[in-house]
Amino acid sequence: MARLFMFEKPLGMRDTLPNVYKAKRVLRETMMNEIERWGYEFIETPTLEYYETVGAASAILDQQLFKLLDREGHTLVLRPDMTAPIARLAASKLYTEGCPLRLAYAANVFRAQQREGGRPAEFEQVGVECIGDGTMNADAEVISLMISALKKVGLCQFTVAIGHIGYVNALFFDILGNEKRVQTLRRFLYEKNYVGYREHVKSLSLSSIDQDRLLQLLTLRGGEEAIDRAEELTQTEAGFKAVSELKQLWANLQKYGVTEEIKIDLSLISHMSYYTGVLFEVYAEKVGFLLGNGGRYDELLEKFQRSSPATGFSVRLDRLMEAIAERKREEKRTCIIFSQERFSEAFTLAKEKREQGEHVVLQHIAGVRDMDRYTAMFDEVNYLLGKAGKDEPSC
Amino acid sequence: MLTVAMPKGRIFSEAIALLKKAGYDLPADLEDSRKLMIDVPDEQLRFILAKPMDVATYVEHGVADVGIAGKDVMLEEERDVYEILDLNISKCYLAVAGLPNSQVHDVAPRVATKYPNIASTYFREQGEQVEIIKLNGSVELAPLIGLAERIVDIVSTGRTLKENGLVELERIVEVTSRFIVNPVSYRLKNKAIDEMVERLSHVIERKGTSDEN
C-alpha cells in the first residue's frame, strides 16, 4: 500500500463540520424531546461489545461488522446497531417481568463498507425500544411516536410501509409445508426479486389456486383494504391471527391520526429471521435509501436468556439530514476584537451577551493577521481598541 | 416526474420499442441523441442514459427511480433494488467458453471475465477453485493469447465465439432485461410506477402469446 496522505480517513468514515454539526444537533434534540415526552428514557451502552453475544444477536450481517481482538483474544465488535445492546441490558438488568420498559437512544453505530462511497460506515441512529408489551398497542405506539418525531423535525413527505412476517410465514407454511421450502421462497422477497419469486412459484408443483395465492401476496399493497384482501388469502389460524393484529394496529393508528403516512405492504421483508410480527420501513423524498425501520422482535431477548416481547424503531440521522434540506438560519455569531488595555471591558461585554444567549467570540487583536477575512466570518463585529472610552464604531 | 435509467447500446432500442408499445409517447430522436439526460415533459418522464453495468447503481442510489437492466448486471452487482418485471427482451445467456480441447491448468486454472462475481460464485458452486482475471471487454481474446484458459461471458448468437474459434463449454444462466425499481421510489411514487409496470406487463403478455403462435 502506498503511504497514506495525512488527510486520509478509513473507508466510510466522515467528519462533521460546524454547520452540519449544528443542524444535526437540532434534529437530534427535537427528536429526543418528543421521545422523552412519550415517556421513553434515554440510555447509553458501550461502543464495544462481544462478538459472540451482541454481535451474533444483532440483525446486521456478519461481513458488515467491524471486529477486533481484546487482550484475552476475545473477538469484539463495534456495535452495529443499538437494539441488541439494549436487549442485553434489558435482559440482564433493567427489565422486570410484567412491567413494560420504554428505553431510547441516540448513538453512533458502525457498519463496515466494502463497496463504494455514498455510504457512511459510522452513522447516528435515534430510536426507541418498548420491551415487555406484546400487544398491538405497543406496535402502534412505536410507529406513531416515530411519525410524530419525524413531523416535529419538519419532515413533510414520507411514507411508512408496514408488513407482517407472521402473515407471510403462515401463508407459506400453509401452502409449502416445510421450513426449507418456506425459507427459499422468503429469500426471494427479502432480496426484492419479484421476478425470481414468480418464476419459483410457477416452478413448484402446486394447485393453480395455491400458486395464485402466492402470486397474490405481491399485490397486497395499499391502504386498509389491503388487509381485507390479505384476509381472503389466508386459511390458517396463524394467518388470521396476523390479520387481526394488523386490523387492531390500523384501528389504533387511526386513533393516533397517522394513517395518512402509512401504506400496508405484506410483501415487505426487512430481514430473513430477525422480526417476529409487524415490521415497518420509513422512506422520505430526496433520499434514495431507507430513512429508518423497525418492528417486533419477540425472540431477541431469549438470546440473552430472558424471554420477552419487544418492538422498536430506529431512524438514521445522516439520512434525515439529507431529507430535510431546508435548514433553519443559524444563530447570530458575534466577535469582539479587543486590545490588551480594554480586555476587562471586552470580557464584561462578552459575558453580558453570552448570558443573553448570544454566541460570542472574544478575540485579541494581536492574534489575528488577516483582519478582513477573519471579521467576514461573523454576523457582527465589535471593536474595543485603544484607550477606554474611545469606542470605535461597530459594524 | 419519473426518472428512468436506460442502458446504452444493444438493449436501448429494444427497451425504447417496448416503452412505445406500452403507449408512452416518446420523441423519435431519442435514439440518435448524444445527450445523456433527456426530458419528455408530456409523459412526465426523464431518461438518463447509462452504461448497462451502471443502471442498477443509479437506481440503488435513488437518482433514478426505475431502470432497465440485464439479469447479468443484477447478478454481478447485487444491488438493493426491486426486480419487478422480466421484460423478456435482449435474450442471451451467460456461458463458460474456451478453445476446443484445451487443457485446464492443474494448479491455478484461470478464467477471464467481465463478471468476476458471477464467475467466482459459479465455479465455487461447481466445487472448482479458479483464479479470476477481470477484463472490461473483448474477453474472447484471453484464451487466444493465453491469458486464461476459459472465459465467462454473455452469448447471444454465438457468432463472436465462433469467429474466434472458441466453443461454449457450459451454460450458466439465461439472461433477459429486467424492470428494476428503487425501494424508496417504489413506495413514494407507487402510482406512476405501478402504472408503468401494468402497461409494460400487458405488452409482455401480448408479445408472449404472439411469439408462441
Side-chain angles (χ1 to χ4, degrees):
Chain A
M1 194 160 104
R3 225 182 116 183
L4 291 171
F5 286 104
M6 288 311 292
F7 59 78
E8 286 186 86
K9 301 187 296 290
L11 183 68
M13 293 297 170
R14 288 179 182 173
D15 298 311
T16 308
L17 301 185
N19 56 341
V20 177
Y21 184 91
K22 273 186 214 155
K24 209 165 132 184
R25 191 168 83 181
V26 171
L27 287 190
R28 180 195 304 124
E29 281 172 4
T30 314
M31 286 198 75
M32 285 174 74
N33 286 339
E34 183 63 7
I35 288 168
E36 278 184 328
R37 270 186 222 115
W38 288 51
Y40 286 74
E41 292 175 297
F42 278 85
I43 56 161
E44 277 179 340
T45 66
T47 309
L48 290 175
E49 295 271 2
Y50 282 122
Y51 168 65
E52 266 177 71
T53 58
V54 169
S58 101
I60 308 307
L61 298 176
D62 203 64
Q63 67 260 33
Q64 285 194 296
L65 300 178
F66 279 105
K67 292 179 199 144
L68 52 155
L69 296 176
D70 71 4
R71 287 176 169 213
E72 279 82 43
H74 294 120
T75 310
L76 309 176
V77 293
L78 288 174
R79 60 168 179 243
D81 68 5
M82 279 300 289
T83 306
I86 288 180
R88 170 184 61 68
L89 181 61
S92 60
K93 258 199 192 135
L94 293 179
Y95 177 57
T96 318
E97 194 69 45
C99 300
L101 185 63
R102 285 173 169 79
L103 297 175
Y105 57 88
N108 284 13
V109 298
F110 304 84
R111 295 181 197 167
Q113 305 294 330
Q114 290 105 352
R115 227 209 225 310
E116 62 193 7
R119 266 169 261 246
E122 177 183 11
F123 51 86
E124 187 171 349
Q125 285 185 329
V126 178
V128 308
E129 312 293 348
C130 180
I131 294 161
D133 186 345
T135 68
M136 276 300 112
N137 296 293
D139 297 73
E141 175 178 300
V142 160
I143 294 172
S144 308
L145 169 53
M146 179 179 74
I147 292 174
S148 174
L150 289 175
K151 282 184 179 164
K152 280 269 152 58
V153 298
L155 189 69
C156 327
Q157 297 288 329
F158 66 99
T159 291
V160 181
I162 298 182
H164 195 303
I165 189 68
Y167 178 84
V168 177
N169 285 341
L171 183 71
F172 285 5
F173 260 109
D174 181 23
I175 296 173
L176 302 170
N178 71 54
E179 174 60 31
K180 207 175 153 226
R181 295 174 78 188
V182 169
Q183 207 172 332
T184 311
L185 196 58
R186 196 167 53 211
R187 182 159 287 278
F188 285 110
L189 290 185
Y190 171 64
E191 288 174 349
K192 304 187 175 69
N193 182 357
Y194 289 3
V195 173
Y197 179 88
R198 280 192 221 104
E199 278 170 6
H200 185 74
V201 166
K202 282 175 190 156
S203 76
L204 295 167
S205 52
L206 296 171
S207 70
S208 61
I209 296 171
D210 281 347
Q211 279 197 357
D212 194 52
R213 283 167 71 201
L214 290 176
L215 295 178
Q216 285 295 317
L217 177 65
L218 299 183
T219 68
L220 297 179
R221 299 198 290 140
E224 197 181 3
E225 85 288 348
I227 306 175
D228 297 329
R229 282 189 284 134
E231 190 169 19
E232 286 164 26
L233 278 191
T234 199
Q235 293 174 353
T236 59
E237 207 177 305
F240 285 122
K241 183 172 167 265
V243 169
S244 99
E245 285 182 355
L246 282 169
K247 282 185 172 172
Q248 275 178 50
L249 179 69
W250 187 273
N252 271 338
L253 292 171
Q254 244 168 350
K255 285 179 192 127
Y256 277 112
V258 293
T259 38
E260 219 165 276
E261 277 78 25
I262 286 173
K263 279 177 191 159
I264 297 292
D265 185 344
L266 283 162
S267 59
L268 185 71
I269 303 226
S270 317
H271 192 273
M272 272 306 278
S273 58
Y274 193 72
Y275 294 105
T276 55
V278 166
L279 55 100
F280 53 90
E281 293 184 345
V282 51
Y283 317 91
E285 239 166 48
K286 289 184 283 196
V287 190
F289 299 96
L290 212 65
L291 187 68
N293 65 332
R296 184 160 278 287
Y297 53 95
D298 288 349
E299 282 159 16
L300 180 66
L301 265 79
E302 233 167 79
K303 293 184 180 165
F304 299 97
Q305 275 129 38
R306 196 66 194 280
S307 133
S308 165
T311 176
F313 79 76
S314 77
V315 168
R316 285 184 60 156
L317 263 197
D318 58 329
R319 291 180 179 164
L320 190 56
M321 292 276 293
E322 277 178 57
I324 299 176
E326 235 176 281
R327 306 246 164 88
K328 277 187 200 135
R329 224 190 101 62
E330 292 165 23
E331 289 91 352
K332 189 175 97 175
R333 286 181 81 225
T334 304
C335 184
I336 300 172
I337 308 270
F338 66 95
S339 57
Q340 192 55 46
E341 54 267 57
R342 295 180 70 180
F343 172 67
S344 50
E345 193 186 335
F347 177 64
T348 314
L349 179 62
K351 208 172 148 193
E352 267 170 36
K353 283 176 177 282
R354 283 170 184 160
E355 267 162 18
Q356 283 160 19
E358 275 186 59
H359 296 189
V360 185
V361 169
L362 197 55
Q363 176 63 53
H364 194 292
I365 187 161
V368 185
R369 287 222 311 272
D370 188 340
M371 191 54 79
D372 289 344
R373 262 176 96 172
Y374 183 69
T375 51
M377 295 174 193
F378 296 91
D379 301 302
E380 188 188 313
V381 183
N382 295 314
Y383 297 93
L384 295 174
L385 306 169
K387 280 208 185 99
K390 260 173 74 185
D391 212 356
E392 303 238 338
S394 64
C395 54
Chain B
M1 176 90 103
L2 214 55
T3 304
V4 187
M6 299 287 279
K8 282 198 286 192
R10 196 170 53 96
I11 317 175
F12 186 69
S13 44
E14 278 187 77
I16 288 290
L18 194 69
L19 283 168
K20 282 185 179 163
K21 268 190 211 153
Y24 287 95
D25 191 14
L26 305 178
D29 61 346
L30 200 59
E31 291 180 61
D32 311 321
S33 174
R34 290 213 160 204
K35 277 194 196 158
L36 297 175
M37 203 154 90
I38 301 158
D39 286 350
V40 185
D42 294 345
E43 292 285 4
Q44 288 277 304
L45 292 177
R46 161 177 286 174
F47 289 94
I48 61 168
L49 275 56
K51 278 268 184 196
M53 211 54 148
D54 296 336
V55 167
T57 312
Y58 286 99
V59 175
E60 184 186 43
H61 283 260
V63 288
D65 298 304
V66 302
I68 293 178
K71 183 65 187 174
D72 53 331
V73 175
M74 300 301 290
L75 290 169
E76 178 63 23
E77 294 277 310
E78 293 186 317
R79 296 281 169 176
D80 186 26
V81 295
Y82 279 98
E83 189 180 324
I84 301 281
L85 270 184
D86 185 348
L87 297 173
N88 244 322
I89 54 172
S90 314
K91 273 188 204 167
C92 54
Y93 56 93
L94 278 160
V96 185
L99 285 166
N101 310 318
S102 71
Q103 285 291 313
V104 168
H105 199 286
D106 280 344
V107 188
R110 280 175 305 181
V111 174
T113 182
K114 267 200 298 189
Y115 302 96
N117 284 334
I118 296 176
S120 97
T121 310
Y122 175 74
F123 283 105
R124 203 178 309 130
E125 279 168 7
Q126 306 300 307
E128 193 182 342
Q129 206 175 358
V130 299
E131 290 181 5
I132 309 277
I133 297 170
K134 153 106 195 199
L135 293 177
N136 289 303
S138 304
V139 181
E140 293 80 6
L141 193 55
L144 301 180
I145 199 84
L147 178 64
E149 299 90 49
R150 286 172 292 178
I151 60 170
V152 166
D153 204 14
I154 281 284
V155 181
S156 43
T157 58
R159 220 180 101 198
T160 320
L161 287 183
K162 214 171 183 183
E163 284 184 5
N164 289 292
L166 300 179
V167 289
E168 184 186 317
L169 302 169
E170 289 145 71
R171 218 176 235 243
I172 298 177
V173 67
E174 305 297 315
V175 171
T176 49
S177 295
R178 307 294 158 100
F179 183 73
I180 61 173
V181 180
N182 171 273
V184 177
S185 306
Y186 189 54
R187 301 290 166 10
L188 291 181
K189 300 186 178 175
N190 57 324
K191 260 203 187 128
I193 291 172
D194 286 350
E195 194 201 311
M196 192 177 260
V197 169
E198 180 86 359
R199 282 159 75 170
L200 285 171
S201 36
H202 271 296
V203 178
I204 301 161
E205 273 165 39
R206 249 185 296 154
K207 244 178 84 190
T209 44
S210 67
D211 280 356
E212 279 156 29
N213 289 341

